Amino acid sequence: MTESTKLRFYKADKKSKLRLPLFSARVQAGFPSPADDYVEKKLNLNELLISHPAATFFVRVEGSSMIDAGIQSGDLLIVDRALSPSDNKIVVAILNGEFTVKRIRKEEGKLFLLPENPNFSPLQITEEMDFEVWGVVTYIIHKAS
Amino acid sequence: MYFLIDCNNFYASCEQLFTPAYRNKPLVVLSNNDGCIVARSKEAKALKIPMGAPVYQWREHFLRHDVIAISSNFPLYADMSQRVVATLETFALPLEVYSIDECFLECKDLKIAESIRKQVYQWTGIPVSIGIGPTKTLAKLANRIAKDQESGTHLFESIPENFAVEEIWGIGSRLKKMLYSYGITTAKQFCGLDETWVKKKMSVMGLRTLWELKGIPCKTENEMYITRKSIVCSRSFTKPLMTFHELAESLSTFVAKASQKLRREGLQTNFVTIFISTNRFKKETFYSNSSSCRLPLATNYSPELIRYAKKMLKEIYRDGDEYKRAGVLLTELSGAKEQQLDLLAQNPSTEKEKRAMEALDQINRRYGARVLYHAAEKQASAPRPAESFTTSWEQLPKIYL
């Protein structure tokens, strides 16, 4: 395989800031700060919450069918398409041409979509149904009122 | 081996990803002004709806076949394109982005094609087709064939009998005409041509295409990474404009858009050209004209460029004409840091201008395109609400639980 000599230019992600202090303290009269050795980088939410940026999307939800999972109306969900939808995961799915968010359960070769609210009933997914998992919900962002 | 990875029905696929109700239905995406068709879903292609066709001609057909027609959503397409590229990058192979929905990749392992298709679809939701060949031109040819395959991938074996000559990468409508006039209509026939003849009639570029079809790689990367030479922004008007004021307004919008592109790519311009024309199908009254000027100082400052554009418009505008098209072309581009000073020109307050433009661009980026515009610009006429789904916090997909 030939080595390509092109240069790839990456656009800086201006939205996420990773502030690294150049030096921690101005040294006055030669007294270094005892904390100098412990200066670490600033915390970055993107790093914490997003594992696969290319496959990560955000959605806004409304409604109460997932309240017991901690998902409230108006919340923001982080959805990762790169993760596999395994048993017990909360997923964004397409059901009959519409988006929905539910917990999936795989039991004895059967697939179920479970709401998290006693007022809603589980649904078994069968072959003939128009169903597709869209992505796995990784984080729920709820604004403290 | 070269892989040409191409997104299937890209714009339509982007739309279908965020609106599940659009899947498996005939869908077309319309250009700015909703004037012509710029993308079709698989089902729309099956209805023989052609690319680039003007909407008004096909409206009846749309109604009869329940075709969904929607306005384009470029912030979405640009973002999705970046995601596809980022996904391909994880394969750590030499990668070259060719267009918004095509990339070339180099790899000896053919089995990786299936993994690539799977991963791109899983991560981004965009289905792709992969053509594999010993040269880029053959990879592109194989890709055409791949699109009709169940597997979505195709390794080049031989040029199919009826593969049209105009489908070859590097042969456009002009060369097609020329070749057809000599009775060359298929790729196979093209391959049988004498090399000296091809070089004479099609220049060295045509000869390279011929060699590539024969399996000799010669379309090297250097040609692909041409640094930008110009920026154009122009549109046709659905309803012709008949006053200077309207035309100036539209032109200012185009200039603002083009300047935004300049700033985004870190460039400045030294030469501005504007052009206007009436309906070219009404041959008797057809009028088209352009005007250019060299700027004393390279700039990407919108208000200044708009000023020059308006001044030039005054020179070529004719009262009583109905204008169907206008645009701006910015050339003699240079890096925004480089600056040739003009002794005689009044030096603009560049720092203040730069900050004003940065603020403008930042606000437009944060709140969705074109929230802030220059007073001279035309306000978008009844746009569909921009749902950029992936580039604006206010426009995320909403799911009802």
Side-chain angles (χ1 to χ4, degrees), chain B residues 175-196:
Chain B
L175 289 172
K176 169 191 171 180
K177 250 199 206 136
M178 186 276 291
L179 289 168
Y180 269 58
S181 73
Y182 285 96
I184 310 293
T185 59
T186 70
K188 257 201 148 160
Q189 288 173 318
F190 177 70
C191 281
L193 291 172
D194 170 56
E195 293 189 0
T196 326

Side-chain angles (χ1 to χ4, degrees), chain B residues 113-400:
Chain B
E114 193 42 49
S115 318
I116 293 176
R117 278 193 78 234
K118 268 213 178 92
Q119 188 169 320
V120 172
Y121 183 73
Q122 172 158 8
W123 282 33
T124 68
I126 303 296
V128 301
S129 301
I130 304 184
I132 308 168
T135 66
K136 284 182 181 168
T137 308
L138 287 176
K140 265 221 169 208
L141 190 150
N143 183 279
R144 272 278 194 285
I145 301 169
K147 292 231 180 270
D148 296 322
Q149 311 277 65
E150 182 73 51
S151 63
T153 60
H154 182 78
L155 169 63
F156 174 76
E157 285 157 0
S158 61
I159 301 179
E161 271 316 312
N162 295 320
F163 198 88
V165 74
E166 64 266 24
E167 296 283 302
I168 300 171
W169 185 40
I171 298 183
S173 53
R174 194 178 49 92
L175 289 172
K176 169 191 171 180
K177 250 199 206 136
M178 186 276 291
L179 289 168
Y180 269 58
S181 73
Y182 285 96
I184 310 293
T185 59
T186 70
K188 257 201 148 160
Q189 288 173 318
F190 177 70
C191 281
L193 291 172
D194 170 56
E195 293 189 0
T196 326
W197 186 92
V198 168
K199 176 145 181 231
K200 188 163 138 222
K201 288 285 185 177
M202 297 170 66
S203 88
V204 65
M205 296 304 297
L207 186 56
R208 289 211 183 114
T209 300
L210 182 63
W211 283 340
E212 285 242 324
L213 282 174
K214 292 187 174 166
I216 306 163
C218 43
K219 285 192 180 162
T220 58
E221 282 171 44
N222 301 333
E223 288 150 41
M224 302 301 140
Y225 282 106
I226 303 165
T227 39
R228 224 191 222 301
K229 296 253 168 70
S230 66
I231 288 177
V232 173
C233 184
S234 79
R235 297 279 184 273
S236 303
F237 309 116
T238 20
K239 278 209 304 269
L241 305 185
M242 299 190 282
T243 65
F244 177 84
H245 175 71
E246 284 176 309
L247 198 51
E249 227 185 12
S250 293
L251 197 59
S252 301
T253 312
F254 305 155
V255 174
K257 266 206 175 117
S259 323
Q260 196 178 37
K261 267 194 230 176
L262 266 183
R263 292 191 295 275
R264 197 168 53 215
E265 305 203 10
L267 299 169
Q268 294 175 136
T269 176
N270 253 104
F271 201 83
V272 184
T273 304
I274 60 152
F275 49 91
I276 55 176
S277 67
T278 59
N279 191 338
R280 62 188 161 96
F281 295 111
K282 293 194 177 147
K283 294 204 173 81
E284 324 80 52
T285 52
F286 181 61
Y287 169 66
S288 96
N289 209 341
S290 70
S291 176
S292 316
C293 72
R294 169 159 283 114
L295 310 175
L297 274 176
T299 182
N300 57 24
Y301 188 52
S302 310
E304 188 179 339
L305 292 168
I306 290 174
R307 225 178 349 111
Y308 280 107
K310 275 184 160 161
K311 217 163 42 160
M312 289 190 279
L313 181 62
K314 282 208 180 88
E315 293 165 25
I316 58 177
Y317 176 78
R318 272 185 0 184
D319 222 357
D321 277 308
E322 299 185 355
Y323 293 94
K324 261 299 219 171
R325 191 174 179 91
V328 61
L329 168 69
L330 306 174
T331 48
E332 291 191 24
L333 308 183
S334 53
K337 298 257 172 33
E338 307 154 27
Q339 185 64 280
Q340 299 276 25
L341 291 174
D342 180 351
L343 281 175
L344 300 175
Q346 282 181 309
N347 288 326
S349 50
T350 34
E351 219 12 78
K352 190 159 157 224
E353 287 173 4
K354 205 169 91 154
R355 275 185 280 126
M357 289 296 97
E358 268 169 22
L360 173 72
D361 289 338
Q362 221 174 52
I363 290 170
N364 277 331
R365 264 200 302 272
R366 193 149 164 244
Y367 293 102
R370 332 300 320 302
V371 167
L372 271 187
Y373 44 82
H374 301 275
E377 283 183 59
K378 184 173 164 50
Q379 272 142 280
S381 50
R384 80 141 176 200
E387 300 160 287
S388 36
F389 298 131
T390 63
T391 55
S392 161
W393 292 114
E394 284 74 28
Q395 294 163 24
L396 299 178
K398 262 222 187 82
I399 301 181
Y400 296 92

Side-chain angles (χ1 to χ4, degrees), chain A residues 1-2 6 8 53-62 65 71 76 81-83 94 97 99 101 130 132 134, chain B residues 17-18 20-21 23 83 86-87 89 95 97 106 108 121-123 125 221 225 390 396-401:
Chain A
M1 224 185 310
T2 50
K6 63 185 186 304
R8 299 224 68 221
T56 301
F57 297 86
F58 300 100
V59 303
R60 201 51 90 182
V61 297
E62 269 178 37
S65 67
I71 301 178
L76 184 69
R81 286 183 62 103
L83 301 177
I94 298 170
F99 280 125
V101 178
D130 169 29
E132 190 185 319
W134 198 89
Chain B
L17 178 65
F18 293 97
R23 293 169 313 152
R83 287 167 183 269
T87 307
E89 280 169 351
L95 173 74
V97 180
E106 284 177 63
K108 287 203 183 105
Y121 183 73
Q122 172 158 8
W123 282 33
E221 282 171 44
Y225 282 106
T390 63
L396 299 178
K398 262 222 187 82
I399 301 181
Y400 296 92
L401 303 182

